[in-house]
Amino acid sequence: MSLPIHGGDLAAAERRWGKPEHNWLDLSTGLNPWPYALPHLPAESWRRLPGEAEETALRASAAGAYGCAVDQVLAGPGSSALIQAVARSVSPRRVAVVSPTYGEHVAAWKAAGHAVSEVAIPADAAGADVVVLVNPNNPDGRQFTVAEIQALSERFALVVVDEAFADVAPDLSVASHVGAGHVGSGLMVLRSFGKFYGLAGLRLGFCLAAPELLAAVAAQLGPWPVSGPALAIGAAALSDRVWADASRAHLANAAGRLDAVLTKAGLHGLGGTSLFRLVEHPDAGNLYDRLGRAGILVRAFALRPTWLRFGLPGGEAPLRRLEQALT
């Protein structure tokens, strides 16, 4: 199999397989296919630079949603940008990234001049100054308990926890522990907005940490890192707990239905979250291409050629289309 296409790159998919007859069914990104409905935006949010009041409103909504203090919240233009800003905000260290996981972590810390190693489990990070892990992990959904992460924050100078998919598993989050005395003082949490709320194009994410840690990250982002429309939409969505609770239940049900289709097709489940499923198949490369020719883009992995990751189809018709292509 030639190198897989990065998630969401439909232009590259069309160059590879041609334009599909029935439009693309993009299952490669792990986004909520039922996005948050955009609220009405005042015209001023487009016409002028964001102000302190709008920034404070977003931080307050995020603090309420994640369970931390307002001064422990920094908003940025997407979690990928924050991953890079965090790596640049720390003086050169020995960094252990719990892998396999989202590849931007290793890339960002290396680019910032750190000595980076990849470890299979946190226990293998002995000698590191910084430990980076994703919880629940992408792409296999591996989970770490709050107690496990608290123990790591006592052993290492800095523990960075990427909770990009934690909205669907809030009991795993350590966001409420950032800055809590000795345990948590070196704890930093990254949150993605676009995945759970289905609005990846908004480019909004959060870094949660003690204020003194956030100051160094903020210096890497510069002024006005988040647009006025993103501030307003984020503040409204993060305050809507009714929508969030209903979405968690809806996504869990949809993930169960996807599991049934994948199992029926002979794909062995390896894990995931209720926003994506990771499966294994000995002929995954040919299956990836067959789905691509059918106009269905899934996530393949160059270093794990038997793995495929499926996001959720957004309704009954897309699910049946996937089922037909698999069989």
Side-chain angles (χ1 to χ4, degrees):
M1 180 179 69
S2 57
L3 287 176
I5 295 167
H6 195 279
D9 192 345
L10 298 183
E14 289 194 3
R15 288 193 296 269
R16 181 167 181 165
W17 293 297
K19 191 174 183 66
E21 181 179 358
H22 300 294
N23 296 320
W24 283 103
L25 174 57
D26 185 5
L27 307 181
S28 66
T29 58
L31 301 175
N32 186 345
W34 297 279
Y36 187 79
L38 295 178
H40 169 73
L41 296 180
E44 289 76 10
S45 67
W46 298 98
R47 292 201 298 251
R48 62 181 179 82
L49 287 172
E52 182 179 354
E54 292 85 357
E55 292 177 359
T56 300
L58 175 63
R59 291 169 57 218
S61 292
Y66 301 141
C68 59
V70 174
D71 66 353
Q72 296 170 340
V73 177
L74 173 67
S79 57
S80 291
L82 285 166
I83 288 170
Q84 297 177 46
V86 168
R88 294 194 303 266
S89 74
V90 178
S91 59
R93 300 287 183 90
R94 294 164 298 178
V95 179
V97 180
V98 181
S99 301
T101 193
Y102 182 50
E104 290 303 312
H105 287 288
V106 169
W109 287 90
K110 283 185 176 179
H114 301 275
V116 181
S117 61
E118 296 183 66
V119 299
I121 56 175
D124 294 338
D129 305 300
V130 180
V131 173
V132 180
L133 59 88
V134 180
N135 191 39
N137 191 43
N138 174 17
D140 60 9
R142 176 168 49 162
Q143 298 181 357
F144 300 91
T145 67
V146 171
E148 288 174 324
I149 295 174
Q150 285 181 320
L152 289 175
S153 70
E154 294 178 324
R155 292 178 49 205
F156 297 95
L158 177 64
V159 177
V160 180
V161 185
D162 182 345
E163 294 185 349
F165 291 97
D167 289 279
V168 297
D171 291 345
L172 296 177
S173 178
V174 291
S176 62
H177 298 275
V178 297
H182 176 69
V183 176
S185 59
L187 181 63
M188 186 175 285
V189 172
L190 301 175
R191 297 292 295 237
S192 169
F193 175 83
K195 294 176 178 63
F196 180 63
Y197 291 90
L199 298 172
L202 197 67
R203 307 313 303 140
L204 179 62
F206 299 92
C207 183
L208 314 175
E212 59 269 21
L213 294 177
L214 291 184
V217 181
Q220 295 296 327
L221 296 177
W224 309 294
V226 179
S227 71
L231 292 172
I233 293 168
L238 288 165
S239 298
D240 194 340
R241 311 297 170 74
V242 173
W243 183 92
D245 289 343
S247 292
R248 289 186 189 100
H250 185 58
L251 291 169
N253 179 266
R257 301 189 69 193
L258 174 60
D259 282 341
V261 168
L262 298 175
T263 300
K264 181 180 177 182
L267 300 174
H268 173 62
L270 296 177
T273 73
S274 56
L275 282 171
F276 62 83
R277 291 300 204 232
L278 181 69
V279 300
E280 187 172 40
H281 192 277
D283 199 21
N286 284 331
L287 180 57
Y288 175 67
D289 277 321
R290 177 154 60 90
L291 290 172
R293 289 193 298 272
I296 300 175
L297 182 60
V298 300
R299 188 76 167 93
F301 302 88
L303 299 180
R304 296 290 193 281
T306 62
W307 286 8
L308 293 173
R309 195 190 72 183
F310 289 75
L312 298 184
E316 187 66 21
L319 184 65
R320 298 283 77 84
R321 177 179 172 185
L322 173 64
E323 182 178 33
Q324 182 178 12
L326 287 172
T327 57

